[in-house]
Amino acid sequence: MDNTNDAPTMRAISQDTLGGPEVLTETTVPRPAPGPSQILVAVHAAGLNPTDWKHRASALFLGRLPLILGWDVSGVVEAVGYGVTLFKPGDRVFGMLPYPHGAGAHAEYAVGPARAFAHTPDGIDHVQAGALPLAALTAHQALVDTAGVGDGTRVLVHAAAGGVGHLAVQIAKARGAHVIGTASAAKHGFLRELGADEVVDYRNEDFAEVVEDVDVVLDPLSGPTRTRSLDVLKPGGVLVSLLPGQDPGEAERAARLGVRVETLLVEADHAGMAAIAGLADEGRLRAHVQATFPLAEAAKAHALGETERTTGKIVLVVRD
């Protein structure tokens, strides 16, 4: 007997071609099953990040179509694969599917390595947990793992009210740093509430003229911002960029100034997720969620994100 039609399915947001938000459609696809060392998560909420709309439009690292996007996951373990000891069915978990090739969070179920996840702290709801993983891991890996931010470190965070930026401000403050953030004037109050010690209005001030002697710069923007950020670093400082550089003379200039330049691509990371869970549990790290959309309205969420005027994160709600 053919039981193909009895195979479990799920709703997902998929695209068959590259393009604008309109290429995203809700469809029904086979539900994945966990393999060895993997867990199957019933997704309750899934965050959006700029990499989602960039991949939707250009594929970037992912050449395959059809494509289900999304890396941020918050949900409940549905099943575990062979060898998994960290989680059991029914556990609340959150994490980032392996970036970039593990995309698939914008669906009712997602499969990923068990060690890409952490237990969700009590008191943190799925929307909040779904907003954190990729952006918080990026900030943590940049500031802690790469730059070694600690007590008294002077940190400059560009686009400090954005998805990565507003979490970076909190992570740096939790480690005792002096934090300077760039943002439009309208968002300065928000950054002060997060703990920023100084704020710079990038529209009316040249940060390179008002900021100096910085140990660490976190730059999600690249281009001229990356180039000029070298000038505000003290000798021995480090610039951590989240996008490739464009200045062919950058390495020589950095060596002359006695500073280091690193370009970071976020990685799935159980230890990092555990650290993020700890900060969230202590109330020292919280995502600002500007808007939520039901899964079926993913195209609207992408359109809002692409305005580049959002504060914090946008989250897709998959289950109530």
Side-chain angles (χ1 to χ4, degrees), residues 12-28:
I13 299 298
S14 182
Q15 62 184 97
D16 295 318
T17 186
L18 302 176
E22 70 279 356
V23 304
L24 299 173
T25 60
E26 184 178 330
T27 186
T28 300

Side-chain angles (χ1 to χ4, degrees), residues 81-240:
Y82 175 78
V84 174
T85 60
L86 293 181
F87 306 109
K88 303 298 181 188
D91 287 350
R92 295 174 70 242
V93 296
F94 72 136
M96 186 192 79
L97 300 178
Y99 186 86
H101 299 292
H106 296 166
E108 289 186 299
Y109 294 89
V111 158
R115 292 185 178 272
F117 293 85
H119 288 282
T120 306
D122 293 337
I124 304 297
D125 65 23
H126 285 295
V127 169
Q128 178 64 206
L132 284 170
L134 188 150
L137 275 178
T138 300
H140 191 272
Q141 290 170 7
L143 297 176
V144 181
D145 299 343
T146 304
V149 168
D151 191 39
T153 306
R154 285 176 55 83
V155 178
L156 171 62
V157 179
H158 288 298
V164 172
H166 86 291
L167 299 173
V169 169
Q170 297 173 70
I171 290 171
K173 288 303 299 180
R175 296 185 67 82
H178 179 94
V179 179
I180 307 160
T182 68
S184 63
K187 297 178 180 179
H188 285 188
F190 171 67
L191 293 183
R192 295 281 191 190
E193 291 175 0
L194 296 180
D197 299 284
E198 300 178 47
V199 289
V200 177
D201 180 1
Y202 73 90
R203 291 177 176 170
N204 296 307
E205 297 178 279
D206 182 347
F207 75 89
E209 293 183 356
V210 297
V211 178
E212 61 184 3
D213 292 330
V214 170
D215 298 290
V216 178
V217 176
L218 176 58
D219 172 30
L221 304 173
S222 197
T225 300
R226 173 168 170 158
T227 300
R228 300 216 65 198
S229 290
L230 295 178
D231 295 327
V232 307
L233 286 167
K234 64 175 66 172
V238 57
L239 165 65
V240 185

Side-chain angles (χ1 to χ4, degrees), residues 271-285:
M273 283 305 307
I276 289 163
L279 289 173
D281 192 35
E282 294 167 1
R284 304 171 82 184
L285 181 65

